[in-house]
Amino acid sequence: MKPSMSRPMAAATLAGLLTLTACGGSGSGGDPDAPVSLRVAVWTANDDHLALFDEIADAYIAEHPRVEKITFDPLPFDGYTTALTTQIAGGNAPDLAWIFESSAPDFVSSGALVPLDEVLTGTEGYAFEDLLPATTELWREDDQLFAYPFSTSPFAVFANLDLLAEAGVPAPGEMTGAGEWTWDEVIGAASTVAGQTGASGMVIRDFDYTGWDYLATLWTGWDAQAWDESSQCGFDRPEMVGAMTFLHEAVFERGAMPGPGTSADFFAGEAAYTVTQISRASLLEEAGFAWDMVPLPAGPAGEYAVIGQAGLGVLRVGDHPEIAADFLAHFTAPENSARLAEYFPPPRESQLTAETLAQTNPLLSAEQLQDTVVAGIAGGVVKPSHLGQEQIAQTVRAQLDALWKPGADVPAVLGDVCASVQPLLDR
């Protein structure tokens, strides 16, 4: 969902943070032989991820003597976009940056990013046409690609089979075979686990009663939307009311999900189920319990898939945008895309097969990869995003606070959400 807006209006959305309309990048001018260092802002501090990035960067440095250093700079996941835009506004912009899908409309439409089509199509062996249009849509404007969708990761359900067995609850495979892999059945099973074992039932990871956009992994099963393509708020519509009523009952009446102020880490064995992206599967490498990964449960509207995306873009205000764009072409070329696929599902059609993904994802079976990853990317919807996302997100979050308590009037709260957020969507 990316409503159209003129570039001047979109740039104004980021005024005070990016200040991109008032200044340009310093470029790659000056001494053409002067040493160059590049900095890439990322939100992962995972040692395995960073080691792989460094290997890819070292190969580039070896072929480009002028580039003496490429640093991947982890910024905290919480508050990442604010930290990034603050760096840009303060004159300390990175050369390249990962960008959340929720911030894509702002960055793409503001003029913050360098268009990539020319450098990517001009790179030998890049196979630009291999990029699936569905994966690049969010990162395009005026037929130009402004960020490479380096990770298109479907959300899935991971299940702790040991906890399910302890509580006498069927495994996901059994429920799927019986046609019972639905949200209602899963929340019922989660409630049983919580009651029988003392562990938590279902955890929607990264939600924590603040990251409300992660609830798209649930409400899409009701055919609900935060807002539609014409920027009309959807929180007060019957589909969303039904989904949020179901969620509220799951927490406060059925005890199937941890309530506000409590937490449970599925990967530490503290919950029966978690909804998260498949890229988190690496956390199970040394899990002390048996587990399974399956697609999201069906909702009243049927089966569905939700994906999260991250784009890699070159900042116009970086010191060396041309060299940074050339490095991006190297970093995302077919060979390196295949290597990155171990952690970040690729946007390349040729690599988006169960057989190819299995080579770098040994923890997941071909069936899991096909049913959850390949099918999810092909048919999934992206988490909510909109111009002015940061302010919209804060407004929705503040209004939803009234929902996270027993006895809340769900329709009234959701009506208040729309009353507060619609003026922001209209801008």
Side-chain angles (χ1 to χ4, degrees):
M1 294 174 284
K2 187 174 69 171
S4 62
M5 181 177 278
S6 69
R7 189 173 296 276
M9 289 179 66
T13 301
L14 295 179
L17 288 175
L18 299 182
T19 61
L20 290 172
T21 58
C23 60
S26 57
S28 302
D31 184 353
D33 299 318
V36 168
S37 294
L38 299 178
R39 181 166 65 91
V40 187
V42 299
W43 64 74
T44 180
N46 181 285
D47 290 339
D48 293 333
H49 296 174
L50 296 175
L52 176 56
F53 300 162
D54 287 339
E55 289 178 13
I56 295 174
D58 288 344
Y60 183 82
I61 292 170
E63 296 177 359
H64 298 79
R66 186 184 174 193
V67 180
E68 62 179 8
K69 186 178 183 180
I70 299 175
T71 303
F72 294 89
D73 181 18
L75 303 179
F77 183 86
D78 292 332
Y80 173 86
T81 300
T82 299
L84 174 61
T85 52
T86 299
Q87 286 189 0
I88 295 170
N92 184 35
D95 297 281
L96 303 95
W98 288 10
I99 301 166
F100 284 124
E101 73 282 292
S102 58
S103 300
D106 281 326
F107 274 88
V108 169
S109 297
S110 68
L113 304 174
V114 174
L116 300 174
D117 295 68
E118 184 175 350
V119 67
L120 297 184
T121 56
T123 298
E124 184 178 357
Y126 191 83
F128 185 74
E129 69 284 352
D130 193 33
L131 302 182
L132 285 164
T135 67
T136 61
E137 180 181 1
L138 190 63
W139 309 98
R140 284 190 170 277
E141 184 172 89
D142 299 332
D143 294 325
Q144 286 283 328
L145 183 69
F146 287 91
Y148 172 91
F150 78 90
S151 180
T152 300
S153 186
F155 286 85
V157 173
F158 289 86
N160 183 323
L161 300 182
D162 291 350
L163 277 176
L164 298 180
E166 182 182 345
V169 170
E174 298 175 59
M175 296 175 72
T176 300
E180 296 175 348
W181 189 244
T182 66
W183 269 109
D184 191 52
E185 294 288 345
V186 171
I187 288 300
S191 179
T192 298
V193 170
Q196 294 290 327
T197 70
S200 292
M202 166 63 77
V203 175
I204 298 179
R205 191 178 175 96
D206 297 318
F207 163 48
D208 293 330
Y209 297 91
T210 56
W212 58 267
D213 54 332
Y214 285 95
L215 295 179
T217 58
L218 182 144
W219 74 49
T220 305
W222 278 251
D223 200 24
Q225 299 180 80
W227 44 79
D228 61 22
E229 293 183 358
S230 61
S231 294
Q232 294 303 302
C233 180
F235 278 96
D236 59 356
R237 296 179 183 175
E239 297 85 358
M240 184 67 81
V241 172
M244 297 298 254
T245 298
F246 176 86
L247 174 69
H248 192 272
E249 292 174 351
V251 176
F252 296 104
E253 296 180 22
R254 304 174 74 176
M257 300 175 66
T262 60
S263 62
D265 184 356
F266 171 85
F267 296 97
E270 298 171 356
Y273 305 102
T274 191
V275 172
T276 191
Q277 288 170 285
I278 65 97
S279 52
R280 301 291 180 94
S282 60
L283 296 174
L284 290 165
E285 197 163 1
E286 298 180 5
F289 54 87
W291 59 274
D292 194 6
M293 185 194 79
V294 290
L296 296 172
E303 296 181 353
Y304 65 100
V306 177
I307 57 178
Q309 272 198 320
L312 177 61
V314 175
L315 276 299
R316 286 185 182 273
V317 293
D319 289 335
H320 308 286
E322 293 180 4
I323 296 173
D326 189 65
F327 172 64
L328 186 149
H330 166 83
F331 190 77
T332 62
E335 178 182 352
N336 291 326
S337 174
R339 298 178 67 190
L340 292 166
E342 180 175 0
Y343 306 108
F344 309 104
R348 293 183 172 274
E349 184 175 14
S350 64
Q351 296 174 351
L352 201 57
T353 67
E355 293 76 18
T356 302
L357 293 172
Q359 296 175 19
T360 52
N361 291 272
L363 289 178
L364 303 177
S365 69
E367 181 180 6
Q368 289 172 321
L369 291 167
Q370 178 63 45
D371 293 347
T372 305
V373 183
V374 177
I377 292 175
V381 300
V382 183
K383 286 172 55 198
S385 62
H386 198 282
L387 289 164
Q389 180 71 18
E390 285 289 297
Q391 187 177 4
I392 290 170
Q394 292 173 12
T395 300
V396 174
R397 173 181 171 177
Q399 291 298 321
L400 285 177
D401 280 346
L403 190 62
W404 312 133
K405 60 184 180 181
D409 186 335
V410 177
V413 171
L414 297 182
D416 290 342
V417 171
C418 279
S420 296
V421 81
Q422 189 62 56
L424 303 178
L425 295 172
D426 288 338
R427 289 182 180 178

